[in-house]
């Protein structure tokens, strides 16, 4: 109804009441008329019957059937709808039955239509009426004796009966006629009403429609719309008003158009000027972008170019420090090294910031051991902290945190390093602690909160506002006092955000700062299961730690091992506790401030002499300091920065009485270089003479047989002539870069197709790393590298060249049956003695095996020999270093066949290779638990 | 209480004074619900209004014993029968408005002096009317029922005394009425109606009158109502005339020292009535009704 036009509304209002009233009245009158006709039929029937009965009285009285017959005939002739008259006497004896001979043919004189309708819709029914014939009494009241004697019951008045049968046909016809009239008349009336309503409404609606059309014309911008004024009254006024309004609008429009023209003209001028400015701005922007790009490239190049010589500076400084020099010279060298490292840090920060700014920084998603990251950091910062005489406590990771996580370990390490570095930098005394906490853990994910707390200078409110802003430090004086670029926290924040984490801090100038960040890592299905060392026979340990944080860290380890614990922060109470309680094991912490406290050391020595089962946790990294502790007579000493697993192992061995002789001395031995790589042949490839010389010097010190090359092509040529166990290859070189060289080495016939290749790069982006690994490198060494890093790499990849490792936690191993499939002993040896690493390598290999298989299958299917060879080669290398001997052997055979172009028989061997792959996967899953994989 | 006793005493003295003043008393028993009875009673009372006859009325014969009367007048057959058969009084009774045929049906148990003033007109008086209407040679048809058959001998005597031909037929059941009637009216010139409940009941009168009318046979009725209903003519006594006859008979009773002069009194005063419309339909030439009445009364 809302969308009805005026015409529809007017007609609706005009016609609806009329239609309703007409229909109501028509229904009422038709019903009344039909009912009346029906009632009239019954009344007439009763009346006729009564009249016949009265008229029949004499005939009955005199038993004169002729009279009755005559009477009936006469009545039937007069009244057409009588069907039959039946007259009987008091005894029920029928005196006469008179039927109407025309009863079935009788039709009214109405039109044929009515007859047709009547024949269609009317069912003829006969209605019978009954009446009794009684005598008419005449009272002879003036001869009462006569009357009284003749009084009888009323029944005796009845002298006969009348049955009158009437047809309702005529009545029905009349009803039908009445109904037709009753319908026809209202319909006619309605039609007339509609006709007049339309006519009358047209007079009102037509001008409104015209008006509406004119309004629409105006709305459609046809402003010359005018209405012919042919109506009177309000509509006429409206039409005149509309015309006036139309004229006004037209006039206003013209004025407006004139103004718009003027404004447009002005605007056009302005736009032209703006266009010119835009072009100028665009040129300026392009210049700026170009400059920015050049700046970024320059920064990147500069960083790279600076890192390369810095590699030489640091490397040779390190080497120089190991030569015979006096103390002053040592101090100078240390200063040079520190300055170089600071400069390197600044360069790294600038490089990272530049990458973040340009959006080129990518976050990796690789499997890594978080325990290793945290241990490395603790180890890394211990010297720095202890040199400042502040304590550094790295709280052990909860056993509930899976060792293997998927994320970017390099960036995670960078963030923690940055925050810990800052904490140490801004702390003059007290301690720095590193904590981890699980915020949320599901089957697939874990959200870890990392907290770095210090007791440093803290931040005031103003400084807090400046934090996380590039190139700003909390205080301008800080730059002067502590140095730094002011990019560290900004980089951290950006890295954390890239890893979809949060970072925040609390700080107070009186208590120090607490920086925290949380990152959500994916947890891989396959995990490294650390050896669980527990002591279950109710042993009791007494822990002495002065610092709360140190106490907390130590007791966590002991509790995890199942020991009962007594604690004290006052060393003077230790004897009393020992005397009053059964103490099986003594753990004594010497914090940084007490490391030279001879009185305390003597006291501890006395205690350790009394109690064999003891462990002293010393906050030191210095061999001299360690030696001075050992000199007091204390035997079992461990660095506070030692990994939790190592501490547990030591405690376990001590408490359980396992033979671990000269444990503390072993620590000392660890620091001694005792490698013998005299049988190892190494090739160093680098275009930078300094780096080449540095690497050569370091390797040469190990008695390694070292050869150098200035570019990839030279290296390739050398490899055609002789075999090298290990090749250190710079990735960015002239003539032939590292990537191409490695690919050639791996894919062409030479002596070094299976050599260990270590990539050297100053800018290891994830893309570069991937590219390098795809080319066939075994590992990557980031410039600037030092002696230790090179040794670490050598230890890892050339373990068979090392002497037995003093820190090895390898327990007795035995080969399992079926060792041809997986030789655990060899695997651990190849993993540098790290059982964990061996397991991890195997896990990675297993995870990659389906891909290897797929690539081999696809290459074979496409008859692409080169791709097939590369795929098999990669599998061969991986299997070999994981000590998957059968698989390695099979892959080697296939590779040889390819190299010798013996493709005809390759199918059989390939099937053998696939079988070995499947066997190894099954073996792995059947022995998934680490212990079973020994 | 003393005031009530005083009123009772005054009433008793008053009654005693009347009794002493009027030593003749009449007790009229009539059905007060019947108009004719009331009219007759009232006329009698009126007729004796100035006399020394004390008149008391009642509709219950049982109340007769409460008073002493010189004469009991009953009006109607029912009251007469109750009085004569149920009461123990020996007071003379004059019964008015009694059909002649009913007298035999009432037993006068106490054998008290009883006279009747019958309602029926003498047959000769009616034949005289016929004679004046149709002539003396006309044949008169009569239908007798179980009650009126008792008049059979009177009919025969009247036939002889008047010299007129009277054909009578007896019916014993109502079913016989129409055939007998048809026969009578076709065989005679006029039908003389003699009251009989079976023949001339209020139900049959209309049929009889219609039949005779169709047959153009005049009917002599026995009451004014009958004539009014369609009888051609009739002789009857009006209530006033009955009361007047009764007044005369009462006076005679007291004059004759409280004895009746006759056991049966016929109506002395009567009226002759003609239904002129019917008479015209019957094509009867009738002089004026008054003249006819005088003529009959003179005889």
């Amino acid at each position: 109804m809302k969308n009805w036009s005026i015409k529809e509304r007017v007609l609706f209002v005009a016609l609806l009441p009329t239609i309703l009233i007409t229909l109501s009245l028509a229904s009422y009158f038709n019903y009344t008329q039909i009912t009346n006709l029906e009632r009239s039929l019954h009344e007439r029937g009763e009346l006729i019957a009564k009249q016949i009965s009265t008229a029949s009285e004499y005939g009955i009285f005199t038993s004169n059937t002729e009279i009755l017959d005559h009477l009936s005939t006469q009545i039937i002739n007069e009244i057409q709808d009588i069907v039959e008259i039946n007259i009987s006497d008091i005894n029920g004896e029928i005196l006469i039955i008179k039927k109407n001979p025309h009863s079935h043919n009788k039709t009214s004189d109405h039109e044929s239509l009515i007859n047709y309708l009547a024949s269609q819709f009317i069912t003829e029914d006969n209605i019978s009426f009954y009446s009794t014939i009684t005598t008419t009494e005449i009272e002879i009241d003036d001869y009462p004796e006569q009357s009284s004697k003749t009084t009888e019951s009323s029944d005796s008045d009845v002298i006969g009966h009348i049955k009158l049968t009437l047809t309702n046909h005529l009545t029905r016809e009349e009803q039908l006629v009445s109904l037709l009239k009753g319908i026809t008349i209202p319909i006619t009336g309605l039609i007339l009403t509609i006709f007049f309503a339309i006519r009358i409404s047209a007079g009102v609606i037509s001008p409104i429609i015209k008006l509406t059309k004119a309004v629409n014309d105006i709305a459609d911008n046809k402003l010359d719309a005018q209405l012919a004024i042919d109506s009177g009254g309000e509509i006429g006024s409206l039409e005149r008003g509309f015309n006036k309004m139309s004229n006004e609008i037209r006039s206003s429009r013209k004025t407006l158009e004139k103004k718009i023209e003027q404004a447009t003209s002005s605007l056009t001028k302005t736009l032209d000027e703006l266009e010119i400015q835009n072009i100028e701005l665009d040129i300026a922007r392009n210049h700026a972008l170009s400059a920015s790009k050049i700046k970024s490239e320059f920064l990147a190049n500069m960083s790279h170019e600076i890192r390369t010589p810095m590699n030489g500076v640091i490397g040779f400084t390190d080497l120089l420090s190991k030569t015979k020099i006096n103390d002053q010279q040592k101090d100078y060298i240390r200063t040079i090294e520190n300055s170089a490292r600071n400069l390197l840090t600044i360069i790294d920060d600038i490089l990272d910031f530049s990458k973040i700014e340009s959006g080129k920084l990518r976050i990796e998603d690789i499997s890594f051991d978080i325990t290793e990251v945290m241990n490395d950091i603790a180890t890394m910062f211990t010297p720095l902290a202890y040199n400042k005489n502040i304590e550094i406590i790295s709280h052990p990771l909860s056993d509930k945190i899976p060792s293997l996580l998927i994320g970017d370990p390099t960036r995670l390490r960078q963030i923690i390093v940055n925050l810990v570095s800052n904490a140490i930098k801004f702390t003059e005394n007290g301690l720095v602690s590193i904590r981890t906490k699980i915020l949320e853990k599901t089957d697939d994910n874990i959200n870890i909160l990392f907290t770095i707390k210090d007791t440093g200078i803290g931040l005031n409110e103003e400084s807090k506002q400046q934090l996380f802003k590039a190139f700003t430090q909390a205080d301008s004086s800080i730059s002067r006092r502590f140095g730094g670029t002011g990019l560290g926290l900004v980089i951290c924040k950006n890295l954390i955000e890239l890893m979809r984490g949060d970072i925040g801090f609390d700080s107070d100038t009186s208590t120090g700062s607490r920086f925290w960040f949380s990152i959500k890592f994916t947890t891989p299905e396959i995990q490294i299961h650390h050896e669980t060392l527990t002591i279950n026979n109710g042993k009791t340990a007494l822990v002495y730690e002065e610092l709360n944080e140190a106490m907390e860290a130590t007791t966590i380890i002991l509790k995890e091992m199942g020991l009962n614990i007594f604690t004290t922060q006052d060393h003077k109470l230790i004897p009393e506790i020992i005397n009053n309680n059964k103490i099986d094991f003594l753990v004594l912490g010497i914090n940084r401030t007490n490391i030279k406290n001879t009185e305390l050391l003597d006291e501890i020595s006395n205690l350790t002499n009394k109690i064999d089962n003891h462990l002293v946790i010393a906050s030191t990294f210095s061999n001299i300091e360690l030696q001075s502790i050992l000199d007091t007579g204390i035997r079992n000493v461990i660095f506070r920065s030692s990994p939790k697993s190592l501490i547990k192992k030591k405690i376990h061995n001590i408490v359980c009485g396992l033979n671990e002789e000269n444990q503390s001395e072993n620590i000392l031995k660890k620091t001694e270089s005792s490698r013998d790589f005299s049988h190892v042949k190494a090739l160093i490839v680098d275009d930078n003479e300094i780096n080449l010389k540095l690497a050569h010097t370091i390797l040469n010190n190990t008695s390694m047989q070292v050869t150098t090359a200035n570019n990839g092509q030279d290296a390739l040529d050398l490899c055609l002539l002789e075999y090298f166990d290990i090749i250190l290859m710079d990735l960015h070189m002239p003539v032939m870069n590292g990537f191409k060289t490695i690919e050639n080495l791996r894919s062409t016939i030479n002596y070094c197709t299976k050599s260990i290749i270590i990539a050297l790069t100053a800018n290891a982006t994830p893309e570069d790393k991937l590219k390098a690994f795809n080319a066939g490198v075994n590992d990557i060494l980031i410039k600037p590298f030092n002696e230790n890093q090179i040794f670490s790499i050598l230890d890892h990849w050339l373990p068979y060249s090392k002497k037995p490792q003093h820190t090895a936690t390898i327990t007795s191993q035995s080969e399992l049956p079926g060792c041809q499939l997986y030789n655990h002993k060899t695997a651990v040896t190849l993993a540098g003695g790290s059982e964990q690493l061996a397991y991890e390598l195997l896990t990675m290999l297993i995870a990659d095996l389906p891909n290897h298989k797929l690539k081999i299958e696809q290459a074979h299917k496409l008859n692409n020999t080169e791709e097939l060879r590369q795929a098999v080669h990669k599998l061969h290398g991986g299997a070999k270093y994981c000590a998957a001997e059968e698989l390695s052997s099979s892959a080697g055979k296939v590779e040889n066949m390819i190299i010798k172009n013996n493709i005809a028989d390759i199918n059989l061997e390939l099937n053998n290779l696939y079988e070995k792959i499947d066997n190894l996967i099954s073996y792995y899953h059947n022995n998934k638990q680490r212990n079973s994989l020994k | 209480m003393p005031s009530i006793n005083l009123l009772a005493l005054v009433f008793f003295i008053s009654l005693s004074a009347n009794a002493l003043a009027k030593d003749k008393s009449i007790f009229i028993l009539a059905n007060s619900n019947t108009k004719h009875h009331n009219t007759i009673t009232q006329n009698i009372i009126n007729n004796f209004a100035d006399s020394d006859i004390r008149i008391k009325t009642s509709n219950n014969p049982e109340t007769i014993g409460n008073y002493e009367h010189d004469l009991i007048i009953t009006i109607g057959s029912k009251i007469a029968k109750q009085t004569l058969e149920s009461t123990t009084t020996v007071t003379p009774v004059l019964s008015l408005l009694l059909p002649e045929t009913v007298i035999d049906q009432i037993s006068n148990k106490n054998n008290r002096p009883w006279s009747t003033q019958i309602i029926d007109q003498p047959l000769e008086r009616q034949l005289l009317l016929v004679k004046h209407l149709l002539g003396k040679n006309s044949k008169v048809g009569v239908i007798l029922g179980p009650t009126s058959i008792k008049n059979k001998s009177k009919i025969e005597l009247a036939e002889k005394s008047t010299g007129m031909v009277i054909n009578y037929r007896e019916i014993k059941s109502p079913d016989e009425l129409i055939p007998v009637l048809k026969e009578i009216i076709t065989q005679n010139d006029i039908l003389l109606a003699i009251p009989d409940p079976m023949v001339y009941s209020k139900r049959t009168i209309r049929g009889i009158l219609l039949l005779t009318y169709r047959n153009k046979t005049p009917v002599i009725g026995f009451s004014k109502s009958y004539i009014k209903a369609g009888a051609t003519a009739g002789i009857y006594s009006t209530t006033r005339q009955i009361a007047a006859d009764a007044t005369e008979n009462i006076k005679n009773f007291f004059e004759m020292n409280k004895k009746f002069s006759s056991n049966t009194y016929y109506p002395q005063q009567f009226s002759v009535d003609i239904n002129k419309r019917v008479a015209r339909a019957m094509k009867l030439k009738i002089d004026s009704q008054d003249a006819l009445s005088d003529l009959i009364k003179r005889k």
Side-chain angles (χ1 to χ4, degrees), chain B residues 211-228:
Chain B
L211 193 60
T212 52
Y213 184 79
R214 282 174 175 271
N215 204 50
K216 303 290 183 193
T217 305
V219 177
I220 302 297
F222 48 79
S223 76
K224 187 178 181 179
S225 300
Y226 207 107
I227 295 159
K228 199 176 176 180

Side-chain angles (χ1 to χ4, degrees), chain A residues 127-290:
Chain A
I127 306 167
S128 295
F129 301 91
Y130 297 90
S131 179
T132 53
I133 305 167
T134 55
T135 53
T136 308
E137 294 182 353
I138 295 174
E139 197 64 44
I140 311 168
D141 52 358
D142 53 351
Y143 199 94
E145 300 303 328
Q146 191 72 6
S147 316
S148 62
K149 285 186 179 177
T150 59
T151 301
E152 293 174 28
S153 67
S154 61
D155 285 346
S156 60
D157 296 345
V158 178
I159 59 172
H161 298 283
I162 295 289
K163 179 189 173 189
L164 172 70
T165 306
L166 289 183
T167 176
N168 65 355
H169 187 85
L170 293 176
T171 302
R172 291 284 181 267
E173 277 187 2
E174 285 175 13
Q175 287 175 333
L176 186 60
V177 170
S178 171
L179 190 64
L180 287 173
K181 286 177 183 173
I183 293 169
T184 309
I185 291 167
I187 287 172
T188 309
L190 273 179
I191 290 168
L192 287 173
T193 307
I194 291 167
F195 174 72
F196 286 118
I198 291 169
R199 283 295 301 274
I200 292 166
S201 65
V204 177
I205 294 161
S206 179
I208 292 173
I209 290 170
K210 284 180 189 170
L211 199 59
T212 309
K213 188 176 177 301
V215 169
N216 286 335
D217 286 346
I218 295 275
D220 293 340
N221 236 358
K222 296 173 186 172
L223 298 179
D224 54 349
Q226 287 287 304
L227 284 173
I229 300 168
D230 48 8
S231 303
E234 290 86 347
I235 293 173
S237 300
L238 198 60
E239 287 170 346
R240 281 190 290 279
F242 175 79
N243 284 344
K244 196 176 173 185
M245 183 190 74
S246 172
N247 292 334
E248 287 291 327
I249 291 172
R250 202 158 45 239
S251 170
S252 300
R253 177 70 176 268
K254 280 178 184 171
T255 311
L256 199 64
E257 280 176 351
K258 202 174 281 178
K259 286 181 181 174
I260 288 170
E261 269 179 27
Q262 289 171 353
T264 308
S265 175
S266 304
L267 201 61
T268 308
K269 282 180 187 174
T270 312
L271 280 174
D272 289 344
E273 289 169 6
L274 278 174
E275 187 67 25
I276 293 164
Q277 286 178 358
N278 273 344
I279 291 165
E280 288 171 354
L281 281 172
D282 201 35
I283 292 165
R285 181 174 167 274
N286 286 337
H287 281 308
L289 283 174
S290 176

Side-chain angles (χ1 to χ4, degrees), chain A residues 740-851:
Chain A
K740 184 71 181 171
T741 310
I742 295 163
E743 277 180 12
N744 285 334
L745 282 174
R746 293 297 190 207
S747 60
T748 59
I749 299 169
N750 63 78
Y751 286 105
C752 301
T753 51
K754 295 176 185 175
S755 298
I756 292 162
I757 301 175
I758 309 297
L760 304 173
T761 179
N763 187 18
T765 62
E767 291 82 5
D768 276 357
K769 279 185 182 175
L770 186 65
K771 197 174 168 187
F773 279 113
N774 285 338
V777 300
N778 296 91
D779 211 337
I780 294 172
L781 187 60
I782 309 294
K783 293 178 186 175
F785 51 81
N786 58 26
E787 189 184 32
N788 288 336
Q789 285 169 320
I790 288 183
F791 286 156
S792 177
I793 289 280
L794 293 178
D795 287 346
H796 183 75
W797 291 104
L798 302 170
Y800 43 85
S801 298
K802 289 162 59 180
K803 289 181 177 178
Q805 291 298 297
H806 46 265
T807 56
T809 56
I810 304 166
T811 54
S812 63
Q813 295 153 7
S814 61
E815 283 189 359
L816 293 170
C819 63
Q820 292 300 313
L821 197 60
Y822 171 65
N823 190 329
H824 181 67
K825 185 177 179 182
T826 308
V828 174
T829 307
L830 288 169
S834 169
E835 204 170 338
Q836 287 178 16
L837 184 61
Y839 175 75
E840 191 177 346
L841 285 169
L842 179 63
T843 302
M844 287 167 71
L845 176 68
I846 296 295
D848 281 345
L849 278 179
N851 277 336

Side-chain angles (χ1 to χ4, degrees), chain A residues 237-358:
Chain A
S237 300
L238 198 60
E239 287 170 346
R240 281 190 290 279
F242 175 79
N243 284 344
K244 196 176 173 185
M245 183 190 74
S246 172
N247 292 334
E248 287 291 327
I249 291 172
R250 202 158 45 239
S251 170
S252 300
R253 177 70 176 268
K254 280 178 184 171
T255 311
L256 199 64
E257 280 176 351
K258 202 174 281 178
K259 286 181 181 174
I260 288 170
E261 269 179 27
Q262 289 171 353
T264 308
S265 175
S266 304
L267 201 61
T268 308
K269 282 180 187 174
T270 312
L271 280 174
D272 289 344
E273 289 169 6
L274 278 174
E275 187 67 25
I276 293 164
Q277 286 178 358
N278 273 344
I279 291 165
E280 288 171 354
L281 281 172
D282 201 35
I283 292 165
R285 181 174 167 274
N286 286 337
H287 281 308
L289 283 174
S290 176
S292 174
K293 192 178 176 186
I294 290 165
K295 185 195 80 180
S296 294
E297 284 175 0
F298 172 76
L299 277 174
N301 288 333
M302 281 305 292
S303 299
H304 183 263
E305 291 306 319
I306 292 167
R307 284 173 74 89
T308 305
M310 285 308 296
N311 192 38
V313 173
I314 293 167
F316 281 108
T317 307
D318 193 35
L319 290 174
L320 188 61
S321 67
K322 290 184 169 69
T323 60
K324 287 183 178 177
I325 49 175
N326 60 36
D327 289 345
Q328 192 176 15
Q329 286 169 325
K330 277 183 183 174
D331 187 43
Y332 294 159
I333 288 168
R334 196 178 303 119
T335 307
I336 292 167
E337 189 179 357
N338 286 340
S339 302
R341 289 195 184 280
N342 285 338
L343 183 60
L344 207 58
T345 307
I346 291 165
I347 290 163
D348 284 343
D349 283 354
I350 292 169
L351 195 61
D352 282 343
F353 185 72
S354 174
K355 282 179 188 171
I356 289 166
E357 286 282 284
S358 60

